[in-house]
Amino acid sequence: MRLILSAGAVALAVSLSACSGPQADLPVQQAGTDEHSFSPADTTTLAAQANAAQEVDAERQSLDLELAERGLLAREPDLAITGPDGAVIWQPGRYDFLDAPAPATAHPDLWHQARLANLHGLYEVTPGIYQVRGYDLSNMSIIAGETGWIIIDPLTAAETARAAMHLVNRELGERPVAAIIFTHSHIDHFGGVEGVASAEDLASGDIRIIAPEHFTMESISENVLAGAVMSRRADYMFGRPLPASPRGHVSTGLGPQPAYGSVSIAPVTDTISRTGQTLVIDGVEMEFQHAPDSEAKAELTVYFPQFRAWCGAEIVSRTLHNLYTLRGAQVRDALAWSAAIEEARQRFGPRTDVIFNSHHWPVWGQAESQRYLAAQRDIYKYIHDQTLRLASQGLTPDEIAQTITLPESLAAEASVHGYYGTLRHNSRAVYQRYFGWYDAVPAHLDPIPRAQAAERYVSAMGGLDSVLDAVETALDTGETRWAAELAQHAVFASPDSATAREALARAYEQLGYRARSGPWRDVYLTGAFELRNGVEIFNAEASAGGLVRAIPLDLYFQAMSVRLDGPRAAERDLQFVFDFTDTGETFQVMIENGVMRHVQLENAGAATGESDAVITLTRTFWLRLLARDAGLADMLASEDFSVRGDRLALMRFFSLLETPEAGFPIVTP
C-alpha cells in the first residue's frame, strides 16, 4: 500500500510495495459506482469461466475453507471501523457477496481465494499464538508472553489495529504490550502501530520494537522519489475507484483492500541484522532469520522454539507473489527470495509444526509445511531459470511470457497459483532484472511516441471507423486481447471518440473478468471505469502525519530534486544554506546545469562558495511551508523562519519546484 503525501512543492510517497505491498496501496470508501457501470460477461468470457470451473478442485476448496476457519475464537459480524473523519474505513460485510457461487464476471479460482481472504475474526494458531485476520489487508499476530502480548505486524491503520487489539483483550484477557515485531518495510505491517500502543509509550522505549536492519529508512524512503507515479499506478493495481462487487473489485489476492486510516511508525529498539540472532522477551524465546532483498528490501522471519512455530512474514504466502509489482517498483531478486525460503526450510522446518504468515491462514503439520515451503521456494527459482533459458534461445520478454509454463507439480499447488503475482508478468520481471527494458529489437530502440504511432496505425488501417469495425469483429470472435490493442490505438488517435472509448472499455472489462490475478482484474476494470467516468483523485495526506514526521530531512531534499523544472532551473545557478535550529542539521543546496544537489554540513559556516541566502528555520516550520500551511506573511513574521540574503532568489527556488500531477491519464493520451 502507498499513501501520497502532497506536501506543497514536495510530493512524498510512503508506500506498501505491497504488498504488499498494498506498498499499496487504499481506501475502503468507494467512488459511488455500482453494478450498472459494468457490462455482463460476453460469450467468450462465459466459455473461459466454464473451462476454468472444470479445473477447480472442489475437494481442495472445501479443505481450504476448513483450514481457513480452523481455530476461530470470535467474530464480529457487524464490524464497521471508522477513520479520522468518521467515515467507515473497514467493513468486512461489504464483501458478503462472496458467499454466493462464483458469477460469470469473476474467475472461479480468484473468487474462492477472495472468499477465504475475507474471513475475519480472532483465531488460535496454536496454544499461545493467535491471529486477528480480516481486519485489514494483512494479519496481526499475537504471542502470549508471561505477562504481556508480543505483537507481530500491527496492520495498516491505527483504527483497525485498535479494533483488533480490543478483540484480543476482550476474548483472551487484557495484558500490556511487551514488544512489537515489524517483519518488513511495507506499510500494512507497521502503519497501525499507534493502535496497539500510544505514541508516548512507543517513544519512551519501554516497549521493545524489533525490526530488520535498515527497516526505518526502507519503510519511509521506498517511494519518496517516485511516489507520485507509484500512487497513480497503484490506483489501478488495487482497483481504488471500483466498487466491491461481482463485477468490480473482489480481492487483491493477498486479501481485501487495505484499511485507509491513520498511519505512523515507531522507533526501533532491537535491530535484526543476521540469521541466528536470538532474543528472549517476557519469557518468549525468538530465533530470527535476516532475509533482506527477498519480498522486501528489509525483512525478517522469526521462529518460536517453545511453540514449534515459524512466522514466515511475507517471504511465503498462499499465492504466487510479485517479483515485479504492477504499481511500479524495483524488480525483486528471485534467486535471493528462493534462497531465503530454502534457508528457512532447512533451519526451522524440522522443528516446525505450524507456519503462520503476514497474510492468509496458517499451514499445520510438519509434512505439509515442508511441502508448502518447497513449492514456495521452487516457484521463484523456476520462473528465474526458465526465463533465462528461453531468453538464451532468443525469445523476447513478450514471447517468453507466452511460452513459459509451469510443471504439473507446481501448477497443481494452490499456494502458488497466480492470485497476486502471475507467471507472465514475473517472467518479464526476471528478463528486466538482467537485460533491462530493451528487448534487442532495433525498431524498439527509439520508437515513435504512442499517440503519434496510434494516429499512423489508424490512418494505415483506413481510418477510425475501419479500426472500430475490426475491434467489434475481434470482440465477436473472442480475440479480446487483440481488440484491446486495436481499441487502444483508436483511443490514442481519437481520444474524444466516445465510441472508441467504449469499445476499449468493453475489451478491458472482459479481460478483467477472466483474470485469476486480483491486481490484473483491478487494472483492467479500473481502465474500463476511467474510460467511462474519468479520473477520480484521492488524497491521503491527513492520515499520514505520523509518517511525515519520521521522514529525515535528507529525504525531503532528495524528493525536491526530482520536482525541479530542469530547463527553467538551468537558466540561473542558485545556492542556499538551510540551517534547522531545532534538529541541529544544516544542508547546503546547489542548483547548477538544471540539477539540484545537496550536502549535509556540520554547521552553516562550513558552506562552500557564496550562497544566495542562508535560511534559518525549524523543521516544524519547514513542514508547514511545504504543506502550504505557511505562506509569505508567515515567513516574514515567524520567529521560526528568517532569511539572510536574497529573498527573491529563495522565492525563485520554490517557484522552480513542480507539484506532481496526481491524476495523470493512463488509458487516454
Side-chain angles (χ1 to χ4, degrees):
M1 177 182 171
R2 88 304 70 324
L3 300 173
I4 281 300
L5 315 177
S6 179
V10 182
L12 299 176
V14 181
S15 172
L16 184 77
S17 54
C19 320
S20 72
Q23 64 218 208
D25 50 14
L26 300 167
V28 168
Q29 294 301 99
Q30 302 300 329
T33 57
D34 57 34
E35 285 294 83
H36 301 296
S37 300
F38 302 93
S39 304
D42 66 15
T43 55
T44 302
T45 298
L46 289 170
Q49 309 297 40
N51 288 335
Q54 291 180 358
E55 299 176 2
V56 168
D57 184 338
E59 184 176 348
R60 190 267 294 179
Q61 290 194 347
S62 178
L63 177 60
D64 284 346
L65 184 59
E66 179 183 333
L67 291 173
E69 285 284 66
R70 177 174 169 174
L72 177 65
L73 299 177
R75 174 169 288 152
E76 298 178 292
D78 299 321
L79 177 69
I81 301 171
T82 56
D85 61 357
V88 174
I89 64 167
W90 193 257
Q91 191 171 20
R94 68 193 282 260
Y95 290 95
D96 284 349
F97 64 87
L98 292 167
D99 292 338
T105 53
H107 192 288
D109 205 15
L110 176 62
W111 188 267
H112 171 65
Q113 178 80 348
R115 184 185 179 195
L116 296 172
N118 191 51
L119 296 172
H120 58 95
L122 174 64
Y123 294 81
E124 182 182 67
V125 175
T126 194
I129 299 181
Y130 309 90
Q131 286 188 314
V132 177
R133 301 200 289 271
Y135 274 52
D136 209 319
L137 169 64
S138 55
N139 300 333
M140 185 170 85
S141 301
I142 306 97
I143 315 298
E146 292 178 352
T147 61
W149 299 123
I150 297 171
I151 307 298
I152 304 177
D153 290 353
L155 308 182
T156 308
E159 291 81 5
T160 51
R162 189 174 297 115
M165 203 71 236
H166 173 75
L167 178 64
V168 169
N169 285 325
R170 187 190 74 192
E171 297 297 324
L172 302 177
E174 189 161 354
R175 296 181 178 208
V177 173
I180 299 170
I181 300 174
F182 298 141
T183 62
H184 59 291
S185 52
H186 295 155
I187 199 171
D188 55 324
H189 305 276
F190 67 82
V193 65
E194 290 187 9
V196 300
S198 69
E200 294 74 21
D201 287 341
L202 293 169
S204 72
D206 293 337
I207 297 175
R208 304 276 289 274
I209 307 293
I210 305 159
E213 187 176 31
H214 306 308
F215 165 81
T216 301
M217 184 58 69
E218 292 297 339
S219 297
I220 294 172
S221 68
E222 183 190 18
N223 299 333
V224 163
L225 300 183
V229 179
M230 288 184 179
S231 175
R232 179 72 178 104
R233 289 168 56 128
D235 290 344
Y236 273 65
M237 178 176 173
F238 292 100
R240 186 169 178 174
L242 302 176
S245 72
R247 296 187 190 178
H249 171 79
V250 300
S251 176
T252 69
L254 286 178
Q257 289 175 330
Y260 194 69
S262 304
V263 297
S264 58
I265 197 168
V268 175
T269 64
D270 295 83
T271 297
I272 304 304
S273 58
R274 60 178 176 83
T275 296
Q277 202 168 333
T278 61
L279 288 172
V280 178
I281 298 177
D282 197 20
V284 176
E285 182 181 352
M286 294 172 274
E287 181 181 342
F288 294 93
Q289 177 194 22
H290 187 223
D293 298 313
S294 53
E295 187 270 339
K297 296 289 287 183
E299 189 143 4
L300 61 76
T301 76
V302 55
Y303 177 71
F304 297 91
Q306 67 209 69
F307 300 102
R308 292 183 60 84
W310 177 60
C311 174
E314 205 167 330
I315 71 168
V316 288
S317 300
R318 287 186 179 269
T319 178
L320 171 61
H321 213 296
N322 286 314
L323 293 175
Y324 167 75
T325 179
L326 300 182
R327 65 178 172 84
Q330 294 182 25
V331 171
R332 293 160 180 166
D333 187 338
L335 283 183
W337 196 338
S338 178
I341 297 171
E342 175 61 6
E343 179 183 58
R345 190 187 72 85
Q346 292 191 18
R347 189 177 191 94
F348 306 125
R351 298 180 280 156
T352 295
D353 293 332
V354 61
I355 297 172
F356 64 102
N357 303 321
S358 297
H359 296 277
H360 306 128
W361 59 100
V363 179
W364 287 274
Q366 192 169 116
E368 181 64 18
S369 296
Q370 287 285 348
R371 187 179 69 84
Y372 167 76
L373 291 175
Q376 290 278 312
R377 171 200 65 195
D378 290 342
I379 188 69
Y380 301 110
K381 193 168 191 305
Y382 184 90
I383 295 172
H384 173 275
D385 293 353
Q386 297 309 305
T387 297
L388 293 185
R389 179 183 69 85
L390 293 169
S392 71
Q393 296 176 5
L395 275 66
T396 65
D398 290 345
E399 292 166 338
I400 293 170
Q402 299 302 313
T403 303
I404 190 170
T405 58
L406 292 178
E408 180 58 30
S409 57
L410 286 176
E413 177 55 54
S415 71
V416 295
H417 282 181
Y419 305 120
Y420 192 49
T422 71
L423 181 61
R424 286 184 176 178
H425 85 252
N426 277 341
S427 68
R428 288 187 175 96
V430 173
Y431 189 100
Q432 177 184 327
R433 184 174 180 88
Y434 283 92
F435 308 116
W437 60 267
Y438 179 47
D439 61 5
V441 176
H444 297 163
L445 189 59
D446 190 22
I448 297 170
R450 282 197 302 167
Q452 294 180 27
E455 292 177 1
R456 297 184 187 189
Y457 275 117
V458 169
S459 175
M461 293 180 65
L464 181 62
D465 290 342
S466 178
V467 171
L468 293 178
D469 287 344
V471 171
E472 292 301 322
T473 299
L475 287 171
D476 291 342
T477 57
E479 295 292 330
T480 315
R481 285 163 50 187
W482 176 235
E485 186 167 336
L486 288 173
Q488 188 71 75
H489 283 311
V491 168
F492 267 69
S494 302
D496 294 330
S497 169
T499 305
R501 293 164 76 105
E502 177 58 24
L504 181 56
R506 286 166 51 208
Y508 281 161
E509 207 166 43
Q510 300 304 318
L511 292 172
Y513 293 161
R514 297 173 210 164
R516 175 189 269 178
S517 163
W520 278 41
R521 176 186 176 91
D522 284 341
V523 163
Y524 283 128
L525 294 184
T526 300
F529 171 83
E530 289 194 352
L531 284 162
R532 290 169 173 152
N533 301 282
V535 177
E536 183 156 350
I537 299 174
F538 301 87
N539 185 6
E541 183 176 355
S543 63
L547 286 177
V548 172
R549 291 189 296 272
I551 296 174
L553 287 168
D554 177 70
L555 287 183
Y556 276 107
F557 287 108
Q558 288 186 44
M560 292 170 74
S561 69
V562 300
R563 308 300 177 219
L564 187 74
D565 183 337
R568 287 177 56 218
E571 296 173 2
R572 178 182 169 186
D573 296 346
L574 296 169
Q575 183 165 297
F576 306 96
V577 171
F578 290 87
D579 190 16
F580 293 88
T581 57
D582 54 345
T583 67
E585 296 171 280
T586 303
F587 295 87
Q588 184 174 8
V589 173
M590 298 142 286
I591 297 177
E592 184 180 9
N593 297 321
V595 173
M596 173 179 161
R597 296 177 296 111
H598 73 279
V599 294
Q600 188 165 1
L601 307 173
E602 290 186 5
N603 53 63
T608 59
E610 183 175 349
S611 296
D612 291 278
V614 176
I615 301 93
T616 303
L617 71 169
T618 63
R619 177 189 168 93
T620 301
F621 190 87
W622 174 250
L623 295 181
R624 289 185 59 208
L625 187 65
L626 294 179
R628 295 181 180 173
D629 290 337
L632 179 60
D634 300 286
M635 290 166 54
L636 295 174
S638 175
E639 295 180 357
D640 292 335
F641 185 91
S642 64
V643 179
R644 186 173 73 252
D646 189 345
R647 291 174 178 267
L648 291 179
L650 181 62
M651 294 300 101
R652 174 177 170 79
F653 167 58
F654 280 113
S655 74
L656 293 172
L657 299 173
E658 295 183 341
T659 299
E661 176 59 52
F664 59 80
I666 290 179
V667 289
T668 56

